[in-house]
Amino acid sequence: MLSTALSHSFSFNLLRPSSIGVMFYHQKVEDHFKNPRNPGSMNAKDEDVGTGIVGAPACGDALKFQIRVDDKTGKIKEVKFRAFGCPAAVASSSLATTMIEGKTLDEALKIKNTTIANELNLPPVKQHCSMLAQDAIHAAVEDYLKKKKTNQKE
């Protein structure tokens, strides 16, 4: 009841209690958390799929991030993620998928955690969630490039 009353009066919404009291998130976080973009997974064995798995031991968040690259254009044609963690981790991952779809690998690597954090209005205590998303993008691109290099040698 309190959360309903507060959510109608602020642009920040109550999503869950935390050990330090109540955690408020911006409406963009709530939107991506409740309606994540591109959730799911792909077959990691596919040659055109890069998979990055990263985690943040400090808070227990974990993220599997996958990209499918069009070999002809070099652009990311599909992105999927699975996030386990707080609303900020899910929202950061969801937003990151929308930011890199249709981009080249080089363009995707230029996405910074600060861009993600600013877009979601993440509080300082949740900045590490945007870093997790950035690290996952890098890990997925590295995996794809490693597969591509291995396949070219064969």
Side-chain angles (χ1 to χ4, degrees):
M1 290 181 230
L2 174 62
S3 65
T4 305
L6 290 174
S7 67
H8 291 296
S9 60
F10 298 107
S11 65
F12 292 86
N13 290 318
L14 172 70
L15 286 182
R16 70 176 201 184
S18 71
S19 61
I20 57 170
V22 176
M23 180 61 69
F24 289 93
Y25 292 100
H26 191 272
Q27 287 176 343
K28 290 180 183 181
V29 173
E30 182 178 12
D31 179 42
H32 277 278
F33 178 69
K34 290 183 176 179
N35 306 295
R37 281 49 156 202
N38 305 305
S41 62
M42 298 179 228
N43 185 347
K45 294 180 182 177
D46 289 353
E47 292 180 13
D48 61 345
V49 172
T51 302
I53 299 174
V54 296
C59 66
D61 293 339
L63 172 58
K64 178 181 175 183
F65 201 89
Q66 294 180 296
I67 58 172
R68 185 179 306 276
V69 180
D70 183 328
D71 289 327
K72 293 177 184 168
T73 64
K75 292 187 177 185
I76 298 168
K77 62 181 181 180
E78 186 180 8
V79 188
K80 296 288 183 188
F81 82 97
R82 292 190 141 222
F84 304 94
C86 68
V90 174
S92 293
S93 305
S94 173
L95 178 63
T97 68
T98 67
M99 294 175 89
I100 69 167
E101 195 165 20
K103 303 259 193 262
T104 65
L105 298 177
D106 286 337
E107 290 169 335
L109 290 172
K110 291 179 183 174
I111 302 292
K112 299 294 180 206
N113 72 300
T114 51
T115 305
I116 296 167
N118 289 339
E119 179 68 24
L120 294 172
N121 294 301
L122 292 179
V125 71
K126 293 296 179 177
Q127 295 292 312
H128 67 279
C129 296
S130 62
M131 192 67 208
L132 195 67
Q134 178 186 319
D135 291 345
I137 293 169
H138 286 252
V141 169
E142 285 176 30
D143 182 61
Y144 169 77
L145 292 174
K146 189 164 82 172
K147 274 187 189 177
K148 188 175 176 183
K149 187 176 180 181
T150 300
N151 291 335
Q152 287 176 346
K153 288 182 182 179
E154 295 175 354

